[in-house]
């Protein structure tokens, strides 16, 4: 690796997917992985293969299909875990096994029930086994920032002796402070001898994940573990887009270090991950937020109009933040639709393409022209429904107002059989959701509801994201339509189908795992 490059290790599909309510299907994970490859990340941590059969199959599918980035899998030090991890990533052009074990006193006592010596023995055994499979082995001492420094150094030396080629220092619970975290990275670099890359993995519990990551880079780290939109456990991980652009905008502070990321794909990647995970991006989010390049103040507006750099340090077009372009209309055919998706880097085939095109024609009949952002939303919705569905959306009829009680009638199909239900509610959306609950028989609590427009204008597509909790199974669902009530019903039914799939495959929310 060049000394002037920082390796981008993206863990959106592993740590990011552990965010509450996110439950991606294999097709959705594959689409995100393909976009991460277009973005130009160096590593994709595709999942934790031993966690479930669904996780294993998703990692294997990404390893077989995605070209460019190295595909990594996470593994505990147990030999069976390491072997299972390799079985999932071995089909990649290049595969990495990422081995971890907890090293803090709290974790060793309460989670592992191990002594320090046992942890060192497990480290040596797990890393050595991984090295039998591949020469690209990463090791993480989980909860490193709460681990006594001398003991962590002993463990890291053990890992290097066993064959680890990357040493990751994870701030697992977001405990680190930038100057302190940077000094840890510097001390590891000076103290642990060998040929390896130092990496950071920072959580955002104190809002310092990006700052800690940059401090790590400043002190010798040459890999950063990040997530799109800062997704991840609890308050999230360091945001890829923020770390990348900090290096891009301030090379004077980082000795000219840069990444291989194609920054013009940042906004599109952010939108795709947001739509497929059901986690909206806050409007004032740095780099990719809707307001990142908006100016309300008259003084700011005047300055930017006269010269962009007066109040903007980032050129919006360089991160893909430019106005959506009108691309298709209701007279556009299937070939034009497929060609436009291909041009945008969206890959759909077979039944998924047919379903997306049918949905496009349905929406194009209501909206004269659709933009690239509209197409992204349609594809994201279809990816969420491209796997076999328990229930399919057929009809929705609603009535309401200030006088009559809001009422909804829903028709769904399951295995060719129609199921119809009617319900009343506090509003038409509430009535529609209650009708779906009655028609499907799935009892769930709506824990979050978010509606936004895909683009501007009175005919904009409404983009609705819901989160459901069905007996501890937490999922998100999304739907798009020019009618917000219909979009809400589609999102709710999409979430119901996810609940049924998660329960069927036994992949209910796992406990927190990994660095």
């Amino acid at each position: 690796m060049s000394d002037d490059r920082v390796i981008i290790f993206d863990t959106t599909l592993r740590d990011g997917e552990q965010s509450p309510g996110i439950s991606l299907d294999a097709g959705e994970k594959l689409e995100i992985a393909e976009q991460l490859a277009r973005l130009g990340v160096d590593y994709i941590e595709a999942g934790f293969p031993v966690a479930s059969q669904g996780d294993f199959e998703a990692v294997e599918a990404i390893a077989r299909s995605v070209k460019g980035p190295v595909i990594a899998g996470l593994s505990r030090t147990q030999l069976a875990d390491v072997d299972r991890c390799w079985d999932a990533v071995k089909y990649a052009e290049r595969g990495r096994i990422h081995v971890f074990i907890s090293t803090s006193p709290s974790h060793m006592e309460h989670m592992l029930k191990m002594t320090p010596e046992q942890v060192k023995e497990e480290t040596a055994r797990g890393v050595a086994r991984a090295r039998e499979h591949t020469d690209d082995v990463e090791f993480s001492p989980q909860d490193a920032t709460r681990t006594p420094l001398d003991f962590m150094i002993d463990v890291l030396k053990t890992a290097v002796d066993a064959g680890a080629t990357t040493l990751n220092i994870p701030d697992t619970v977001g405990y680190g402070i930038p100057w302190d975290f940077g000094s840890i990275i510097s001390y590891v670099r000076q103290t642990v001898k060998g040929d390896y890359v130092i990496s950071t993995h920072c959580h955002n519990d104190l809002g310092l994940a990006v700052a800690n990551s940059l401090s790590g880079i400043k002190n010798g780290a040459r890999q950063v573990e990040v997530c799109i939109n800062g997704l991840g456990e609890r308050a999230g991980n360091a945001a890829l887009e923020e770390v990348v652009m900090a290096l891009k905008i301030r090379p004077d502070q980082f000795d000219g270090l840069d990444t291989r990321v194609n920054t013009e794909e940042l906004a599109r990647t952010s939108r795709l991950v947001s739509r497929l995970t059901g986690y909206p991006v806050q409007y004032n989010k740095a780099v990719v937020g809707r307001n990142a390049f908006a100016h309300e103040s008259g003084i700011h507006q005047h300055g930017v109009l006269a010269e962009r750099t007066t109040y903007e340090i980032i050129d919006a077009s360089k991160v893909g933040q430019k106005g959506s372009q009108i691309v298709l209309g209701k007279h556009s055919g299937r070939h034009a639709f497929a060609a436009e998706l291909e041009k945008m880097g969206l890959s759909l085939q077979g039944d998924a393409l047919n379903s997306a095109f049918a949905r496009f024609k349905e929406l194009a009949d209501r909206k004269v022209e659709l933009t690239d952002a509209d197409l992204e939303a349609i594809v994201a919705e279809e990816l969420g429904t491209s796997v076999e569905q328990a229930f399919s959306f057929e009809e929705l009829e609603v009535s309401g107002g200030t006088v009559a009680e809001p009422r909804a009638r829903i028709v769904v199909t399951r295995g060719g059989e129609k199921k119809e239900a009617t319900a009343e509610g506090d509003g038409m959306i509430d009535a529609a959701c209650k009708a779906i609950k009655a028609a499907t028989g799935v009892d769930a609590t709506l824990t979050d509801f978010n509606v936004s427009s895909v683009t501007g204008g009175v005919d904009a597509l409404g983009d609705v994201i819901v989160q459901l909790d069905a007996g501890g199974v937490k999922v998100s669902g999304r739907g798009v339509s020019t009618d917000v009530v219909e979009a809400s019903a589609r999102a709710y039914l999409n979430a119901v189908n996810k609940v049924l799939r998660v329960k069927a495959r036994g992949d209910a929310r796992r406990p927190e795992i990994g660095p």
Side-chain angles (χ1 to χ4, degrees), residues 163-357:
T165 53
T166 295
L167 296 181
N168 181 47
I169 311 302
D171 185 19
T172 305
V173 296
Y175 184 72
I177 300 294
W179 44 90
D180 183 50
F181 187 76
S183 70
I184 293 173
I185 297 295
S186 179
Y187 188 71
V188 170
R189 187 182 179 200
Q190 294 167 16
T191 311
V192 181
K193 306 304 179 185
D195 184 16
Y196 60 87
V197 174
I198 304 179
S199 172
T200 69
H201 180 108
C202 298
H203 280 263
N204 207 39
D205 297 71
L206 294 176
L208 296 170
V210 170
N212 284 329
S213 299
L214 294 174
S215 180
I217 293 170
K218 184 74 172 175
N219 284 276
R222 290 298 177 265
Q223 174 179 289
V224 283
E225 305 202 352
V226 288
C227 288
I228 299 296
N229 299 336
L231 289 178
E233 293 278 9
R234 305 178 315 279
N237 289 57
L240 178 149
E241 57 278 2
E242 295 176 24
V243 171
V244 166
M245 291 312 296
L247 294 174
K248 182 75 69 178
I249 298 301
R250 296 304 305 271
D252 59 308
Q253 293 295 311
F254 298 98
D255 300 320
L257 291 171
D258 203 354
T259 69
R260 293 197 308 188
V261 168
N262 175 11
T263 61
E264 293 183 5
E265 289 288 334
L266 285 172
R268 177 175 293 167
T269 309
S270 169
R271 291 193 300 265
L272 180 69
V273 169
S274 174
R275 285 171 178 150
L276 291 182
T277 60
Y279 266 54
V281 177
Q282 66 192 67
Y283 286 180
N284 63 336
K285 169 77 171 63
V287 183
V288 293
R290 178 180 291 187
N291 293 350
F293 300 95
H295 300 273
E296 181 73 17
S297 162
I299 294 174
H300 284 214
Q301 290 173 345
H302 175 73
V304 170
L305 288 172
E307 168 54 43
R308 180 191 61 79
T309 57
T310 54
Y311 286 103
E312 288 185 355
I313 61 172
I314 301 173
D315 183 346
S317 66
K318 298 300 183 185
V319 296
Q321 283 272 48
K322 53 186 179 180
S324 298
Q325 304 298 309
I326 293 173
V327 289
L328 295 174
K330 64 180 182 179
H331 299 298
S332 301
R334 189 177 185 278
H335 179 75
F337 176 76
E340 193 59 43
L341 292 185
E342 190 70 29
K343 195 191 309 179
M344 293 166 60
L346 297 171
S347 177
L348 287 185
Q349 285 145 7
D351 291 342
L353 178 60
N354 293 335
S355 297
F357 180 66

Side-chain angles (χ1 to χ4, degrees), residues 61-141:
I62 290 168
R64 288 181 181 275
S65 303
V66 178
K67 308 304 178 187
V70 181
I71 307 303
L74 184 68
S75 173
R76 295 174 298 188
T77 53
Q78 286 94 316
L79 302 188
D81 283 24
V82 174
D83 292 343
R84 182 71 166 164
C85 183
W86 179 245
D87 285 343
V89 302
K90 66 183 179 183
Y91 301 102
E93 290 178 327
R94 293 169 296 154
R96 167 182 284 188
I97 299 175
H98 180 187
V99 180
F100 78 95
I101 192 170
S102 291
T103 55
S104 69
S106 172
H107 281 209
M108 287 192 293
E109 178 183 354
H110 300 295
M111 287 171 49
L112 297 182
K113 312 293 186 187
M114 283 185 183
T115 66
E117 280 305 313
Q118 287 174 318
V119 167
K120 287 168 64 176
E121 290 170 7
E122 275 291 299
T123 297
R125 190 161 33 242
V127 171
R129 182 58 156 256
R131 192 60 194 256
E132 291 176 14
H133 294 302
T134 175
D135 61 4
D136 191 345
V137 177
E138 177 174 337
F139 173 73
S140 290

Side-chain angles (χ1 to χ4, degrees), residues 410 412 431-442 489-490 492-493 496:
I410 187 80
V412 297
C433 293
K434 286 180 176 176
I436 292 172
K437 185 182 292 189
T440 61
V442 175
R490 288 181 177 275
Y492 192 93
L493 186 62
V496 164

